[in-house]
Amino acid sequence: METQKIAIVGLGRIGSAFLRNMLARRGRGVELVGVAETGDTPGRQQALDAGLNITSLDEIIALGNGVDILFDLTGIAAVRREIREKLMAQGNHHTVVASETIARLIWALTSDDDLPVIAGRSTGY
């Protein structure tokens, strides 16, 4: 199986739960190559406890083709737009930006637990 190199931006309630799920899949086709979180969240500490470095969005973008899938789990449309613009400016046509909707699909396929729901939060592309 080919390993998918993923990065997660946003380690709030949803990002933290998703990170925990992805950490459980290390070595089974998933490699976490970057996580970004600007706040002091439980997910940030979880990432540090797992031996991951907390990086900036710019550092993740700089990985270029070293990121197959970038999960934007911030819930902030401006961040998703910034990610797309920075990938385009770099000429990166490889990295796929996955929204919370895709994370929810993956979650449904890989976990029996419920992923947190944040009322009023947009999950579309």
Side-chain angles (χ1 to χ4, degrees):
M1 174 192 298
E2 183 178 329
T3 298
Q4 294 297 297
K5 295 178 225 122
I6 69 166
I8 301 172
V9 176
L11 297 174
R13 284 182 279 172
I14 292 169
S16 295
F18 191 74
L19 173 63
R20 187 171 42 257
N21 192 324
M22 293 299 101
L23 286 170
R25 276 144 185 80
R26 276 179 156 173
R28 293 178 22 203
V30 174
E31 178 185 352
L32 283 154
V33 296
V35 292
E37 174 56 57
T38 58
D40 185 19
T41 65
R44 180 185 183 94
Q45 188 59 51
Q46 177 185 346
L48 292 170
D49 291 346
L52 299 172
N53 291 324
I54 306 295
T55 63
S56 68
L57 174 58
D58 287 339
E59 289 171 304
I60 289 174
I61 297 294
L63 294 172
N65 291 354
V67 179
D68 298 315
I69 305 167
L70 193 161
F71 287 92
D72 170 24
L73 303 181
T74 64
I76 303 169
V79 171
R80 190 159 307 133
R81 189 170 35 259
E82 178 183 2
I83 290 168
R84 285 194 212 114
E85 289 171 358
K86 288 182 176 190
L87 289 171
M88 283 190 331
Q90 190 185 58
N92 182 333
H93 300 284
H94 173 80
T95 302
V96 174
V97 179
S99 68
E100 190 177 305
T101 302
I102 302 303
R104 288 189 176 282
L105 172 63
I106 291 169
W107 185 270
L109 297 171
T110 61
S111 178
D112 292 329
D113 297 329
D114 291 331
L115 190 61
V117 173
I118 299 175
R121 182 158 167 175
S122 174
T123 60
Y125 187 71

